[in-house]
Amino acid sequence: MKLLQVLNGEPVWPPPAWLMRQAGRYLPEYKAVRAQAGDFISLCLNPVLATEVTLQPIRKFGFDGSILFSDILILPMALGQGLRYAEGEGPRLPPLQKATELTLEKAPGIYAPIMQTVANVRAALPRETTLIGFAGSPATVACYMLDGQGGTGFPRTRQLAYENPGFVDDVLEMLTEATITYLQAQLDAGADCLMLFETWAGIFPPAQFRKFVIEPNRRIVEALKAKNPGVKILGFPRLAGLMLGEYVRKTGVDAVGLDTVTDIALARAACPENTVFQGNLDPLLLKLGGSAMEDAVRTLLASVKTRPHIFNLGHGITPDVPEANVARLMEIIREA
Ligand code: CP3
């Protein structure tokens, strides 16, 4: 498995590649299955259909990594918080008022279908394709739980972090526990490695970044590595900026996803020598295609040659990306 080789620190050329949100609305076959499922949550909880949409981009583009089809907000739903996806608007949750509204006990039963998807996907994937299990990191998941939606910069979460840090701590404590159990279940079901999505790392000032971002991620990595020696974990602390080096050193992640604004040479200087990077093509280029995309891809490839690197975007692929550009991207990488 090329992707696991890279996570083990071996340079592989051309680099293994996959794309965040590689299963999704830019694919007509995804939209067809999504329509069959009725809604997004039903799709995530239907092992037959979730397996199908996980495999669609692998069949079409031959990515080296296959990410489980699910969502970071399935976990709060499993802990008892209401969740719906308003058509074209993204997730909506009733903003959490007390940590005691959540219960850990019932969660494994609620997310059991997802473990069936992991097992199905692993059984169906080519041997050389790495199955990536994932969860949202606690602070990012808490942002949606406390604000009830994205898109507004999470004002309630940021205010609570100052005014009621005990509440935020209680929520993060539960999420950290629940995430360890949830990711362990994915490993047990057949995931080959794991990724922690800290999409909103960049909204926290340094003291809160240490407490809410670094510490929960560190505990999750520590617990999973203690139980699963050798397991590889990728972190994605989006927009961490100058906190990136400290995030990598203190959490103990093996690899880190770089967002579009991060210069790889600067990231290399800030992180431990053996850190593996993943990323960080601007998803907009994948929409534009043509020479803008091709030049940027070649420049990125040149900058990671001889290094263990996983080719990816700096954030998720958008629904307006033409499939032909994805096919061309993979061609350029393979010819590198
Ligand atoms: O292909 C994959 O990457 C695997 C599946 C996956 C999804 N979401 C599917 C999805 C993964 C790994 C995620 C992670 C996720 N979900 C994150 C972290 C990464 C990131 O993108 O920043 C976040 C913040 C979420 C929460 C979430 N889910 C939002 C804000 C939205 C709405 C935005 C949108 O694109 O509509 C979702 C919905 C979602 N998650 C879709 C998919 C394919 C679209 C749902 C649909 O079909 O309508």
Side-chain angles (χ1 to χ4, degrees):
M1 281 188 190
K2 292 208 285 176
L3 202 148
L4 273 189
Q5 264 174 274
V6 166
L7 287 172
N8 277 305
E10 286 173 52
V12 172
W13 201 259
W18 67 281
L19 304 177
M20 289 191 275
R21 286 281 177 96
Q22 62 193 16
R25 289 163 293 182
Y26 74 107
L27 292 175
E29 62 269 37
Y30 168 83
K31 284 191 269 192
V33 175
R34 164 92 152 65
Q36 195 187 334
D39 64 87
F40 176 65
I41 297 171
S42 305
L43 174 54
C44 291
L45 295 176
N46 180 320
V48 172
L49 299 182
T51 299
E52 169 58 21
V53 293
T54 305
L55 296 172
Q56 284 171 347
I58 309 303
R59 281 188 213 120
K60 198 163 225 168
F61 304 111
F63 295 122
D64 301 284
S66 174
I67 187 154
L68 164 70
F69 186 84
S70 180
D71 195 78
I72 63 166
L73 301 179
I74 293 293
L75 190 61
M77 189 197 74
L79 295 174
Q81 193 171 12
L83 171 67
R84 65 190 178 84
Y85 281 82
E87 200 61 52
E89 282 176 42
R92 292 286 185 279
L93 307 90
L96 195 70
Q97 303 303 322
K98 302 189 299 290
T100 50
E101 289 170 34
L102 307 171
T103 43
L104 291 167
E105 291 69 33
K106 293 188 189 140
I110 296 171
Y111 59 60
I114 288 172
M115 303 311 150
Q116 188 57 51
T117 304
V118 173
N120 292 352
V121 171
R122 188 53 274 172
L125 278 176
R127 290 182 76 86
E128 67 272 16
T129 312
T130 302
L131 175 54
I132 306 161
F134 76 91
S137 288
T140 291
V141 175
C143 281
Y144 290 96
M145 295 172 78
L146 295 171
D147 267 271
Q149 62 179 69
T152 56
F154 308 105
R156 180 166 181 256
T157 304
R158 289 163 58 217
Q159 198 167 323
L160 284 169
Y162 289 110
E163 294 185 344
N164 196 350
F167 175 31
V168 177
D169 280 342
D170 289 348
V171 175
L172 292 179
E173 180 64 38
M174 275 199 100
L175 282 173
T176 301
E177 287 248 333
T179 303
I180 293 166
T181 310
Y182 181 54
L183 289 175
Q184 183 63 49
Q186 293 183 37
L187 287 175
D188 294 341
D192 298 308
C193 65
L194 299 171
M195 179 155 165
L196 285 162
F197 286 88
E198 191 75 283
T199 301
W200 300 110
I203 72 170
F204 298 102
Q208 291 176 1
F209 187 98
R210 294 189 171 101
K211 202 166 157 224
F212 300 150
V213 174
I214 292 182
E215 185 55 17
N217 284 289
R218 187 197 67 73
R219 281 177 56 195
I220 293 166
V221 171
E222 179 183 65
L224 291 167
K225 285 187 175 264
K227 264 195 105 175
N228 311 272
V231 70
K232 297 296 169 189
I233 305 178
L234 287 129
F236 180 47
R238 188 170 156 268
L239 302 176
L242 290 176
M243 301 303 284
L244 184 71
E246 186 174 331
Y247 169 89
V248 174
R249 273 193 306 279
K250 293 204 176 144
T251 59
V253 292
D254 302 281
V256 73
L258 300 180
D259 53 51
T260 46
V261 303
T262 301
D263 181 278
I264 296 186
L266 294 178
R268 223 174 259 158
C271 293
E273 179 54 34
N274 59 350
T275 308
V276 172
F277 293 117
Q278 168 175 283
N280 64 342
L281 190 76
D282 187 348
L284 180 60
L285 290 167
L286 206 49
K287 175 190 168 187
L288 302 177
S291 59
M293 175 183 88
E294 300 201 4
D295 293 350
V297 172
R298 291 199 177 92
T299 303
L300 175 53
L301 286 168
S303 77
V304 299
K305 197 150 191 181
T306 78
R307 307 274 312 191
H309 188 89
I310 301 166
F311 195 99
N312 206 318
L313 303 174
H315 201 187
I317 189 169
T318 49
D320 53 10
V321 165
E323 294 181 33
N325 292 350
V326 179
R328 180 68 190 130
L329 168 74
M330 291 306 285
E331 227 171 63
I332 299 170
I333 296 170
R334 293 207 175 104
E335 287 164 0

